[in-house]
Structures are given as C-alpha cells and as structure tokens.
Amino acid sequence: MNEVSVSAPGKFVILGEHAVVYGKPAIALAIDRRFNMKVKKDAVFKINNDTADIKTVPHIRYISGKNGMLPVSVQMDSKIPTGSGLGSSAALSVAFSAAMRSITDRPLNEAEIAEEAFEAEYFAQGRGSPMDTSTSTHGYGIALNAQKNEEDRLWNITKNEHVWNISHIDVPEMTFVIGYTGIRASTGPLVEKVRKYKDRNRFAADIVDEIGQITLEGMNAIRKNDVAALGELMTKDHKLLSILGVSSKELNKLVNASLPYAYGAKLTGAGGGGSMVVLTDDPDKACSAISSHGGVPFVVKTGVEGVKVIEESE
Ligand code: PMV
C-alpha cells in the first residue's frame, strides 16, 4: 500500500486514572472525537507538508524506528484537543501504528497496535499505563484489571513490574458531558507528582488503593446499570484525586457547578487542567453550568469503534 487514511478515537476515564499506572483497575470509554491521519510513502519524512525532523515528535519517532525508519509524509487532523485529558497523544500513536502496518502490508492486529502505541507513549512520557492506547485501539469501553469474564479478555500488557489485563466492557447507554477547562496539562509531570507523593507517603499509597477499590465497585454499578451508584463513585473518586494533588481550582469549579444537575462528576485523565466529566440525565443544564463557569462543554457519544482504516490506495 502507498497511502492510507486512518482514524482513532479519543477517550475519557470513568474511574481509575493515576491508580492504573500502578496496576490498579480502571474503566475508560472511547468517544466520538477522533484523530484522523493520512500517511503516504515519500522520499523524506514530512509532517503536515513540511519536511520534518521526526525526532521532535517522539511518538512518531518511536513507531518509525519499529518500521525501519521508512520515510513517510503524515497529515494530521485531530478533533481531540491536545493536553485535554482526552487521550490525543494516544490516538496519534494508535493511528500512526495502524497506518504503518497498513502501508507495509501487515494485518491490523489490535493487540500489537495497542502494545506498540503504549510503548511509543512510554518512550515519549517515560511513564504511564496502557489505558489510553488500548481504549483508542479497541474503541467502545475497556476495563483494566477489573474484569472476571474470560470471554471479554482482549490482551495483556506488561511493563516493568506491572501487568494490565485488558478486557472489553459493555456500558449501558448513559449521557456524559465533558467540560474542558481550556488549560493544557502535560500527563508526564502529573503522573510523576503522584508517584513521588505515593513513594514518600503511606497515606497517598492508601488513596491509590482506595481508587482501585472504588473502580471495582464502579464495575458492579455498570453491570447493574445503576447510574446513581456509578455517579456517586465518580464524585468520590474526584475527591481522592484532589487529595493526590492532581485537581485544580478550575476543575473543582466545573465539578461543583455541574453536580446539582448530575449523578456525579470528576476530573478525567491526568488532571492539572484538561477536562472533567459529568454523568447526567440533564445534559443541557450540565452544559450551561460548565459554560457559565468558564469551561467548554460538549456531550460525548460513546460506544464508538476503535482504530480503523478509512481508505487505502496503491
Ligand atoms: O490525560 P491523559 O489523557 O493523558 O490520561 C492520563 C491517564 C493517567 O492515568 C493519569 C496516566 C496513564 O498513563 O494512565
């Protein structure tokens, strides 16, 4: 194949971010905001039509290295705001991994794409979990270290001393509103902040364990379609993440403003800025509460496909 167009979804985390880095359970859903990418064989590397030093884009550098540094031209068009906690860099890595497979005529093996994209993220950030990359690869919903049904098992990913068992989950129809603070936050330093806190302080390590516990309760709430219980767990999780120091005054403001119209609300992703998510059956009121408190709201559609090839040409 000479040229391919691919698309990979962003995600949000219902429960378990940060704790998942230490192998605790987490639940994430793919959303209808996608990273679209066109990749074409070329004489030299190009990104968005400019000759590019790919070393400046570490995710692309890593995946290219795994593909013999075959020079390609990459056009990117993302509907996932960067640094928003919605998995834009994971979707980039997943899309590029799938595109390189397609133009080198290899099958789109989801487990291999999820693993390669995770390694690319790890190379770029020096830390993290395979949650975002697995969600973007598979789509729909995934549970990490929280699913007992063997038939839902997708793949396992291991790094250093941690193992993540990744499974598909069916999430009943629910309405989620995202509130973006407009503040870009880098995931790496926030993950590092939690790691240092946890390593120094038994109390922080207990909070990480408690987030894992809440996530398992959240799995039960999802299985029973108990929206009220799930919402309460989300709000509780937000409080625990705040204690770990990854919320911000803007995120707290959006969470508090939306709670009167919600089953629950919490920051989603790395925090620091980025986005929060609201579980509600009154999306209009949740959206107005978010916009009148300085956030950018949008209702997300879930149950969307993972990475896919849109078009290929010889
Ligand atoms: O903010 P995002 O979309 O990069 O999500 C980060 C989620 C963390 O749990 C904080 C880190 C990780 O790699 O799992």
Side-chain angles (χ1 to χ4, degrees), residues 11-13 16-22 26 83-90 118 121 125 127-132 144 164 185-188 190-191 194 241 246 268-271 274-275:
K11 66 93 203 22
F12 73 89
V13 188
E17 54 271 89
H18 285 288
V20 69
V21 173
Y22 310 99
S84 62
L86 300 175
S88 71
S89 71
F118 166 57
E121 284 267 282
Q125 282 176 10
R127 50 188 83 78
S129 80
M131 171 173 58
D132 293 19
L144 297 94
W164 293 272
S186 279
T187 304
L190 288 152
V191 170
V194 173
L241 289 164
V246 294
T268 185
S275 303

mmCIF file of all heavy atoms in Angstrom, residues 11-13 16-22 26 83-90 118 121 125 127-132 144 164 185-188 190-191 194 241 246 268-271 274-275, ligand 1:
data_model
loop_
_atom_site.group_PDB
_atom_site.id
_atom_site.type_symbol
_atom_site.label_atom_id
_atom_site.label_comp_id
_atom_site.label_asym_id
_atom_site.label_seq_id
_atom_site.Cartn_x
_atom_site.Cartn_y
_atom_site.Cartn_z
ATOM 1 N N LYS A 11 -10.662 9.354 24.279
ATOM 2 C CA LYS A 11 -11.310 8.582 25.351
ATOM 3 C C LYS A 11 -11.533 9.473 26.569
ATOM 4 O O LYS A 11 -10.983 10.565 26.675
ATOM 5 C CB LYS A 11 -10.428 7.393 25.758
ATOM 6 C CG LYS A 11 -9.083 7.806 26.435
ATOM 7 C CD LYS A 11 -9.166 7.853 27.917
ATOM 8 C CE LYS A 11 -8.230 8.672 28.715
ATOM 9 N NZ LYS A 11 -7.465 9.751 28.444
ATOM 10 N N PHE A 12 -12.355 8.994 27.479
ATOM 11 C CA PHE A 12 -12.324 9.579 28.817
ATOM 12 C C PHE A 12 -12.327 8.440 29.819
ATOM 13 O O PHE A 12 -12.664 7.292 29.484
ATOM 14 C CB PHE A 12 -13.480 10.576 29.040
ATOM 15 C CG PHE A 12 -14.822 9.943 29.203
ATOM 16 C CD1 PHE A 12 -15.286 9.548 30.447
ATOM 17 C CD2 PHE A 12 -15.640 9.751 28.107
ATOM 18 C CE1 PHE A 12 -16.520 8.949 30.597
ATOM 19 C CE2 PHE A 12 -16.882 9.156 28.240
ATOM 20 C CZ PHE A 12 -17.318 8.755 29.494
ATOM 21 N N VAL A 13 -11.950 8.771 31.049
ATOM 22 C CA VAL A 13 -11.826 7.736 32.076
ATOM 23 C C VAL A 13 -13.013 7.876 33.017
ATOM 24 O O VAL A 13 -13.257 8.960 33.561
ATOM 25 C CB VAL A 13 -10.511 7.908 32.868
ATOM 26 C CG1 VAL A 13 -10.293 6.729 33.809
ATOM 27 C CG2 VAL A 13 -9.332 8.067 31.925
ATOM 28 N N GLY A 16 -10.503 5.506 37.854
ATOM 29 C CA GLY A 16 -9.240 4.776 37.990
ATOM 30 C C GLY A 16 -7.981 5.420 37.460
ATOM 31 O O GLY A 16 -6.916 4.810 37.562
ATOM 32 N N GLU A 17 -8.064 6.641 36.853
ATOM 33 C CA GLU A 17 -6.819 7.233 36.355
ATOM 34 C C GLU A 17 -5.819 7.424 37.493
ATOM 35 O O GLU A 17 -6.206 7.507 38.664
ATOM 36 C CB GLU A 17 -7.037 8.570 35.610
ATOM 37 C CG GLU A 17 -7.779 9.651 36.310
ATOM 38 C CD GLU A 17 -9.263 9.522 36.055
ATOM 39 O OE1 GLU A 17 -9.894 8.802 36.867
ATOM 40 O OE2 GLU A 17 -9.799 10.139 35.128
ATOM 41 N N HIS A 18 -4.599 7.529 37.154
ATOM 42 C CA HIS A 18 -3.451 7.601 38.071
ATOM 43 C C HIS A 18 -3.225 6.282 38.803
ATOM 44 O O HIS A 18 -2.124 5.733 38.696
ATOM 45 C CB HIS A 18 -3.546 8.787 39.058
ATOM 46 C CG HIS A 18 -3.241 10.082 38.376
ATOM 47 N ND1 HIS A 18 -1.966 10.426 37.988
ATOM 48 C CD2 HIS A 18 -4.039 11.097 37.962
ATOM 49 C CE1 HIS A 18 -1.990 11.602 37.378
ATOM 50 N NE2 HIS A 18 -3.239 12.029 37.338
ATOM 51 N N ALA A 19 -4.251 5.740 39.490
ATOM 52 C CA ALA A 19 -4.041 4.462 40.179
ATOM 53 C C ALA A 19 -3.690 3.359 39.168
ATOM 54 O O ALA A 19 -2.925 2.440 39.484
ATOM 55 C CB ALA A 19 -5.287 4.094 40.978
ATOM 56 N N VAL A 20 -4.227 3.485 37.936
ATOM 57 C CA VAL A 20 -3.984 2.455 36.908
ATOM 58 C C VAL A 20 -2.499 2.345 36.556
ATOM 59 O O VAL A 20 -2.024 1.284 36.157
ATOM 60 C CB VAL A 20 -4.854 2.739 35.646
ATOM 61 C CG1 VAL A 20 -4.411 3.982 34.896
ATOM 62 C CG2 VAL A 20 -4.874 1.541 34.714
ATOM 63 N N VAL A 21 -1.761 3.433 36.731
ATOM 64 C CA VAL A 21 -0.313 3.413 36.439
ATOM 65 C C VAL A 21 0.381 2.342 37.302
ATOM 66 O O VAL A 21 1.376 1.757 36.898
ATOM 67 C CB VAL A 21 0.288 4.825 36.691
ATOM 68 C CG1 VAL A 21 1.801 4.820 36.569
ATOM 69 C CG2 VAL A 21 -0.337 5.853 35.748
ATOM 70 N N TYR A 22 -0.185 2.079 38.492
ATOM 71 C CA TYR A 22 0.410 1.095 39.426
ATOM 72 C C TYR A 22 -0.296 -0.263 39.342
ATOM 73 O O TYR A 22 -0.280 -1.043 40.296
ATOM 74 C CB TYR A 22 0.383 1.672 40.863
ATOM 75 C CG TYR A 22 0.962 3.064 40.833
ATOM 76 C CD1 TYR A 22 0.126 4.180 40.811
ATOM 77 C CD2 TYR A 22 2.331 3.246 40.674
ATOM 78 C CE1 TYR A 22 0.651 5.454 40.665
ATOM 79 C CE2 TYR A 22 2.864 4.515 40.521
ATOM 80 C CZ TYR A 22 2.015 5.613 40.511
ATOM 81 O OH TYR A 22 2.537 6.860 40.338
ATOM 82 N N ALA A 26 -9.096 0.180 36.229
ATOM 83 C CA ALA A 26 -9.606 1.428 35.636
ATOM 84 C C ALA A 26 -10.642 1.085 34.572
ATOM 85 O O ALA A 26 -10.663 -0.042 34.067
ATOM 86 C CB ALA A 26 -8.472 2.238 35.017
ATOM 87 N N GLY A 83 -3.622 17.984 25.229
ATOM 88 C CA GLY A 83 -3.465 18.287 26.665
ATOM 89 C C GLY A 83 -4.791 18.429 27.386
ATOM 90 O O GLY A 83 -4.886 19.073 28.423
ATOM 91 N N SER A 84 -5.844 17.813 26.827
ATOM 92 C CA SER A 84 -7.182 17.993 27.408
ATOM 93 C C SER A 84 -7.574 16.828 28.303
ATOM 94 O O SER A 84 -8.670 16.795 28.831
ATOM 95 C CB SER A 84 -8.209 18.122 26.282
ATOM 96 O OG SER A 84 -8.224 16.924 25.529
ATOM 97 N N GLY A 85 -6.692 15.817 28.440
ATOM 98 C CA GLY A 85 -7.052 14.635 29.236
ATOM 99 C C GLY A 85 -7.952 13.696 28.475
ATOM 100 O O GLY A 85 -8.556 12.790 29.055
ATOM 101 N N LEU A 86 -8.045 13.890 27.146
ATOM 102 C CA LEU A 86 -8.953 13.053 26.351
ATOM 103 C C LEU A 86 -8.186 12.112 25.416
ATOM 104 O O LEU A 86 -8.749 11.575 24.458
ATOM 105 C CB LEU A 86 -9.930 13.936 25.570
ATOM 106 C CG LEU A 86 -10.830 14.833 26.446
ATOM 107 C CD1 LEU A 86 -11.673 15.771 25.582
ATOM 108 C CD2 LEU A 86 -11.747 14.009 27.347
ATOM 109 N N GLY A 87 -6.908 11.935 25.717
ATOM 110 C CA GLY A 87 -6.141 10.891 25.022
ATOM 111 C C GLY A 87 -5.704 11.232 23.613
ATOM 112 O O GLY A 87 -5.636 10.342 22.754
ATOM 113 N N SER A 88 -5.359 12.520 23.349
ATOM 114 C CA SER A 88 -4.991 12.874 21.970
ATOM 115 C C SER A 88 -3.666 12.239 21.551
ATOM 116 O O SER A 88 -3.546 11.755 20.425
ATOM 117 C CB SER A 88 -4.974 14.385 21.771
ATOM 118 O OG SER A 88 -3.883 14.941 22.442
ATOM 119 N N SER A 89 -2.675 12.187 22.440
ATOM 120 C CA SER A 89 -1.389 11.623 22.002
ATOM 121 C C SER A 89 -1.496 10.112 21.843
ATOM 122 O O SER A 89 -0.848 9.513 20.978
ATOM 123 C CB SER A 89 -0.248 12.021 22.947
ATOM 124 O OG SER A 89 -0.370 11.351 24.172
ATOM 125 N N ALA A 90 -2.357 9.475 22.656
ATOM 126 C CA ALA A 90 -2.564 8.029 22.486
ATOM 127 C C ALA A 90 -3.220 7.757 21.137
ATOM 128 O O ALA A 90 -2.815 6.838 20.410
ATOM 129 C CB ALA A 90 -3.444 7.485 23.607
ATOM 130 N N PHE A 118 1.391 1.889 23.091
ATOM 131 C CA PHE A 118 1.725 2.091 24.511
ATOM 132 C C PHE A 118 3.227 2.320 24.670
ATOM 133 O O PHE A 118 3.659 3.225 25.388
ATOM 134 C CB PHE A 118 1.269 0.875 25.341
ATOM 135 C CG PHE A 118 1.856 0.841 26.725
ATOM 136 C CD1 PHE A 118 1.668 1.910 27.603
ATOM 137 C CD2 PHE A 118 2.614 -0.235 27.160
ATOM 138 C CE1 PHE A 118 2.224 1.889 28.888
ATOM 139 C CE2 PHE A 118 3.164 -0.260 28.440
ATOM 140 C CZ PHE A 118 2.972 0.810 29.304
ATOM 141 N N GLU A 121 4.048 5.796 23.698
ATOM 142 C CA GLU A 121 3.651 6.746 24.740
ATOM 143 C C GLU A 121 4.657 6.710 25.891
ATOM 144 O O GLU A 121 5.029 7.750 26.437
ATOM 145 C CB GLU A 121 2.276 6.345 25.309
ATOM 146 C CG GLU A 121 1.115 6.680 24.410
ATOM 147 C CD GLU A 121 0.535 8.035 24.753
ATOM 148 O OE1 GLU A 121 -0.205 8.134 25.736
ATOM 149 O OE2 GLU A 121 0.853 8.999 24.021
ATOM 150 N N GLN A 125 6.763 9.779 27.217
ATOM 151 C CA GLN A 125 6.450 10.335 28.551
ATOM 152 C C GLN A 125 7.333 9.769 29.650
ATOM 153 O O GLN A 125 7.365 10.313 30.745
ATOM 154 C CB GLN A 125 5.011 9.961 28.938
ATOM 155 C CG GLN A 125 3.952 10.797 28.272
ATOM 156 C CD GLN A 125 2.554 10.285 28.643
ATOM 157 O OE1 GLN A 125 2.361 9.449 29.521
ATOM 158 N NE2 GLN A 125 1.557 10.805 27.956
ATOM 159 N N ARG A 127 6.718 7.178 31.314
ATOM 160 C CA ARG A 127 5.865 6.597 32.360
ATOM 161 C C ARG A 127 4.444 6.446 31.823
ATOM 162 O O ARG A 127 4.171 6.872 30.703
ATOM 163 C CB ARG A 127 5.847 7.508 33.590
ATOM 164 C CG ARG A 127 5.540 8.951 33.261
ATOM 165 C CD ARG A 127 5.715 9.839 34.458
ATOM 166 N NE ARG A 127 7.088 10.247 34.682
ATOM 167 C CZ ARG A 127 7.724 11.196 34.010
ATOM 168 N NH1 ARG A 127 7.109 11.819 33.027
ATOM 169 N NH2 ARG A 127 8.968 11.532 34.278
ATOM 170 N N GLY A 128 3.568 5.838 32.648
ATOM 171 C CA GLY A 128 2.155 5.767 32.249
ATOM 172 C C GLY A 128 1.642 4.341 32.176
ATOM 173 O O GLY A 128 2.360 3.385 32.442
ATOM 174 N N SER A 129 0.358 4.231 31.818
ATOM 175 C CA SER A 129 -0.298 2.924 31.703
ATOM 176 C C SER A 129 -0.781 2.735 30.261
ATOM 177 O O SER A 129 -0.842 3.692 29.499
ATOM 178 C CB SER A 129 -1.520 2.890 32.632
ATOM 179 O OG SER A 129 -2.600 3.558 32.010
ATOM 180 N N PRO A 130 -1.151 1.497 29.898
ATOM 181 C CA PRO A 130 -1.666 1.270 28.535
ATOM 182 C C PRO A 130 -3.155 1.572 28.378
ATOM 183 O O PRO A 130 -3.762 1.160 27.403
ATOM 184 C CB PRO A 130 -1.382 -0.213 28.305
ATOM 185 C CG PRO A 130 -1.331 -0.817 29.652
ATOM 186 C CD PRO A 130 -0.996 0.242 30.649
ATOM 187 N N MET A 131 -3.746 2.325 29.327
ATOM 188 C CA MET A 131 -5.196 2.575 29.288
ATOM 189 C C MET A 131 -5.620 3.348 28.029
ATOM 190 O O MET A 131 -6.529 2.916 27.308
ATOM 191 C CB MET A 131 -5.604 3.355 30.545
ATOM 192 C CG MET A 131 -7.029 3.853 30.524
ATOM 193 S SD MET A 131 -7.498 4.572 32.095
ATOM 194 C CE MET A 131 -6.310 5.862 32.298
ATOM 195 N N ASP A 132 -4.976 4.497 27.788
ATOM 196 C CA ASP A 132 -5.422 5.349 26.671
ATOM 197 C C ASP A 132 -5.235 4.650 25.330
ATOM 198 O O ASP A 132 -6.122 4.674 24.472
ATOM 199 C CB ASP A 132 -4.615 6.647 26.627
ATOM 200 C CG ASP A 132 -4.879 7.562 27.807
ATOM 201 O OD1 ASP A 132 -5.394 7.081 28.821
ATOM 202 O OD2 ASP A 132 -4.571 8.753 27.705
ATOM 203 N N LEU A 144 -9.495 -2.293 32.846
ATOM 204 C CA LEU A 144 -8.153 -2.805 33.107
ATOM 205 C C LEU A 144 -8.153 -3.424 34.492
ATOM 206 O O LEU A 144 -8.605 -2.788 35.458
ATOM 207 C CB LEU A 144 -7.111 -1.679 33.057
ATOM 208 C CG LEU A 144 -6.968 -0.984 31.685
ATOM 209 C CD1 LEU A 144 -7.835 0.251 31.635
ATOM 210 C CD2 LEU A 144 -5.527 -0.633 31.392
ATOM 211 N N TRP A 164 -1.155 -5.390 33.099
ATOM 212 C CA TRP A 164 -2.532 -4.908 32.923
ATOM 213 C C TRP A 164 -3.291 -5.928 32.073
ATOM 214 O O TRP A 164 -2.890 -6.222 30.942
ATOM 215 C CB TRP A 164 -2.532 -3.553 32.212
ATOM 216 C CG TRP A 164 -1.945 -2.437 33.001
ATOM 217 C CD1 TRP A 164 -2.584 -1.620 33.885
ATOM 218 C CD2 TRP A 164 -0.576 -1.965 32.973
ATOM 219 N NE1 TRP A 164 -1.723 -0.684 34.400
ATOM 220 C CE2 TRP A 164 -0.483 -0.879 33.865
ATOM 221 C CE3 TRP A 164 0.574 -2.367 32.286
ATOM 222 C CZ2 TRP A 164 0.701 -0.185 34.080
ATOM 223 C CZ3 TRP A 164 1.758 -1.677 32.498
ATOM 224 C CH2 TRP A 164 1.812 -0.598 33.387
ATOM 225 N N ALA A 185 -2.557 20.543 29.976
ATOM 226 C CA ALA A 185 -1.733 19.995 31.057
ATOM 227 C C ALA A 185 -1.007 18.767 30.521
ATOM 228 O O ALA A 185 -1.605 17.950 29.831
ATOM 229 C CB ALA A 185 -2.625 19.605 32.228
ATOM 230 N N SER A 186 0.282 18.670 30.817
ATOM 231 C CA SER A 186 1.054 17.505 30.346
ATOM 232 C C SER A 186 0.888 16.354 31.320
ATOM 233 O O SER A 186 1.000 16.540 32.536
ATOM 234 C CB SER A 186 2.539 17.831 30.302
ATOM 235 O OG SER A 186 2.820 18.513 29.174
ATOM 236 N N THR A 187 0.658 15.179 30.762
ATOM 237 C CA THR A 187 0.408 13.998 31.602
ATOM 238 C C THR A 187 1.643 13.598 32.427
ATOM 239 O O THR A 187 1.526 13.326 33.627
ATOM 240 C CB THR A 187 -0.016 12.821 30.688
ATOM 241 O OG1 THR A 187 -1.147 13.252 29.937
ATOM 242 C CG2 THR A 187 -0.378 11.588 31.481
ATOM 243 N N GLY A 188 2.824 13.590 31.778
ATOM 244 C CA GLY A 188 4.044 13.073 32.428
ATOM 245 C C GLY A 188 4.299 13.680 33.804
ATOM 246 O O GLY A 188 4.415 12.948 34.804
ATOM 247 N N LEU A 190 2.345 15.172 35.883
ATOM 248 C CA LEU A 190 1.288 14.874 36.865
ATOM 249 C C LEU A 190 1.417 13.441 37.372
ATOM 250 O O LEU A 190 1.245 13.176 38.566
ATOM 251 C CB LEU A 190 -0.090 15.113 36.237
ATOM 252 C CG LEU A 190 -0.394 16.605 36.053
ATOM 253 C CD1 LEU A 190 -1.344 16.841 34.898
ATOM 254 C CD2 LEU A 190 -0.957 17.213 37.334
ATOM 255 N N VAL A 191 1.756 12.525 36.469
ATOM 256 C CA VAL A 191 1.972 11.131 36.882
ATOM 257 C C VAL A 191 3.174 11.071 37.837
ATOM 258 O O VAL A 191 3.143 10.390 38.867
ATOM 259 C CB VAL A 191 2.173 10.216 35.641
ATOM 260 C CG1 VAL A 191 2.628 8.816 36.040
ATOM 261 C CG2 VAL A 191 0.882 10.127 34.834
ATOM 262 N N VAL A 194 2.292 12.262 41.392
ATOM 263 C CA VAL A 194 1.597 11.241 42.189
ATOM 264 C C VAL A 194 2.589 10.161 42.630
ATOM 265 O O VAL A 194 2.570 9.717 43.774
ATOM 266 C CB VAL A 194 0.411 10.623 41.397
ATOM 267 C CG1 VAL A 194 -0.196 9.450 42.138
ATOM 268 C CG2 VAL A 194 -0.649 11.689 41.122
ATOM 269 N N LEU A 241 -8.734 12.006 43.985
ATOM 270 C CA LEU A 241 -7.739 12.549 43.046
ATOM 271 C C LEU A 241 -7.300 13.942 43.488
ATOM 272 O O LEU A 241 -6.126 14.314 43.351
ATOM 273 C CB LEU A 241 -8.316 12.586 41.621
ATOM 274 C CG LEU A 241 -8.495 11.210 40.960
ATOM 275 C CD1 LEU A 241 -9.412 11.294 39.745
ATOM 276 C CD2 LEU A 241 -7.144 10.623 40.547
ATOM 277 N N VAL A 246 -3.920 16.277 41.974
ATOM 278 C CA VAL A 246 -3.975 16.424 40.520
ATOM 279 C C VAL A 246 -5.210 17.190 40.029
ATOM 280 O O VAL A 246 -5.402 17.328 38.827
ATOM 281 C CB VAL A 246 -3.859 15.053 39.791
ATOM 282 C CG1 VAL A 246 -2.484 14.457 40.019
ATOM 283 C CG2 VAL A 246 -4.947 14.078 40.226
ATOM 284 N N THR A 268 -11.120 14.061 34.560
ATOM 285 C CA THR A 268 -10.866 12.854 33.786
ATOM 286 C C THR A 268 -9.514 12.970 33.100
ATOM 287 O O THR A 268 -9.166 14.038 32.587
ATOM 288 C CB THR A 268 -12.000 12.554 32.782
ATOM 289 O OG1 THR A 268 -11.741 11.298 32.156
ATOM 290 C CG2 THR A 268 -12.178 13.615 31.715
ATOM 291 N N GLY A 269 -8.732 11.881 33.136
ATOM 292 C CA GLY A 269 -7.379 11.931 32.571
ATOM 293 C C GLY A 269 -6.399 12.387 33.633
ATOM 294 O O GLY A 269 -6.631 12.202 34.828
ATOM 295 N N ALA A 270 -5.335 13.021 33.174
ATOM 296 C CA ALA A 270 -4.240 13.343 34.105
ATOM 297 C C ALA A 270 -4.603 14.437 35.106
ATOM 298 O O ALA A 270 -4.070 14.479 36.202
ATOM 299 C CB ALA A 270 -3.020 13.756 33.308
ATOM 300 N N GLY A 271 -5.506 15.354 34.751
ATOM 301 C CA GLY A 271 -5.879 16.460 35.654
ATOM 302 C C GLY A 271 -4.957 17.658 35.468
ATOM 303 O O GLY A 271 -4.405 17.854 34.382
ATOM 304 N N GLY A 274 -6.913 20.406 31.752
ATOM 305 C CA GLY A 274 -7.577 19.358 30.970
ATOM 306 C C GLY A 274 -9.079 19.362 31.178
ATOM 307 O O GLY A 274 -9.702 20.430 31.208
ATOM 308 N N SER A 275 -9.669 18.202 31.393
ATOM 309 C CA SER A 275 -11.134 18.090 31.356
ATOM 310 C C SER A 275 -11.712 17.394 32.576
ATOM 311 O O SER A 275 -11.008 16.685 33.294
ATOM 312 C CB SER A 275 -11.567 17.289 30.127
ATOM 313 O OG SER A 275 -11.081 17.870 28.958
HETATM 314 O O1 PMV B 1 -4.550 12.897 30.444
HETATM 315 P P1 PMV B 1 -4.424 11.681 29.614
HETATM 316 O O2 PMV B 1 -5.429 11.554 28.543
HETATM 317 O O3 PMV B 1 -3.012 11.528 29.105
HETATM 318 O O4 PMV B 1 -4.689 10.421 30.615
HETATM 319 C C1 PMV B 1 -3.737 10.091 31.595
HETATM 320 C C2 PMV B 1 -4.210 8.960 32.475
HETATM 321 C C3 PMV B 1 -3.226 8.626 33.622
HETATM 322 O O5 PMV B 1 -3.798 7.543 34.340
HETATM 323 C C4 PMV B 1 -3.024 9.796 34.549
HETATM 324 C C5 PMV B 1 -1.863 8.203 33.085
HETATM 325 C C6 PMV B 1 -1.857 6.855 32.378
HETATM 326 O O6 PMV B 1 -0.961 6.654 31.547
HETATM 327 O O7 PMV B 1 -2.706 6.005 32.666
#
